[in-house]
């Protein structure tokens, strides 16, 4: 069952709204994931110069997803979007081995902000469809996600290009919003 089929089965009036912040370095696949969630065409994706916002329905929730650009010049402004975040999604390009340390540092820096202290974290290990992609387990080990002992978190392998793994990540999000 595709994400579109799943969304069609949901009630038209959600019980609750949730604010989701979608972050990661440039070219990680954030906007492609957002467009997949909204069942939009992904053939033409351009770098996000500011932010994109989409609302999607999932499991009785209205999820307001904020996709913020990941270029290094934009990253200092990420903190302006932290307030009232219910779930943080962080997207990692699993083929970009050169910037794995940089993306891990960025992730842990933003997790130190008090406004995100209690916020559950979903890491999408993206581009799993490519032959040179690191596995989710390898990414988790290399950026030391096990250090997150005081936080609810999950790493989910996915391919934004072919929409695999995204539904599983969204299911995890909905379970954690209900808690």
């Amino acid at each position: 069952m595709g994400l579109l089929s799943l969304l069609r089965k949901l009630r038209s009036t959600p019980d609750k709204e949730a604010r989701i912040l979608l972050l990661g370095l440039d070219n990680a696949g954030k906007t492609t994931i957002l467009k997949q969630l909204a069942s939009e065409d992904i053939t033409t994706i351009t770098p996000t110069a500011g932010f994109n916002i989409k609302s999607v329905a999932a499991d009785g929730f209205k999820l307001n997803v904020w996709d913020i650009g990941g270029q290094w010049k934009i990253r200092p402004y990420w903190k302006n979007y932290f307030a009232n975040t219910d779930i943080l999604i962080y997207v990692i390009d699993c083929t970009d081995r050169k910037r794995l340390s940089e993306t891990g540092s960025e992730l842990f820096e933003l997790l130190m902000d008090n406004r995100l202290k209690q916020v559950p974290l979903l890491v999408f290990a993206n581009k799993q469809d490519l032959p040179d992609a690191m596995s989710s387990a390898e990414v988790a080990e290399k950026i030391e996600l096990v250090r997150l002992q005081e936080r609810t978190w999950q790493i989910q392998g996915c391919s934004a290009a072919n929409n695999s793994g995204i539904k599983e990540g969204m299911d995890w999000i909905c379970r954690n919003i209900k808690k």
Side-chain angles (χ1 to χ4, degrees), residues 65-111:
V65 185
W66 290 69
D67 162 28
I68 315 299
Q71 297 87 350
W72 68 270
K73 288 183 178 181
I74 296 174
R75 290 182 219 155
Y77 299 101
W78 284 356
K79 63 182 180 253
N80 296 328
Y81 299 90
F82 291 175
N84 303 314
T85 296
D86 295 303
I87 300 279
L88 173 62
I89 299 175
Y90 195 82
V91 183
I92 295 177
D93 176 349
C94 292
T95 65
D96 193 353
R97 295 173 190 274
K98 291 179 184 172
R99 296 198 306 167
L100 190 60
S101 176
E102 178 184 357
T103 197
S105 295
E106 289 286 351
L107 173 60
F108 279 94
E109 183 177 323
L110 55 91
L111 292 177

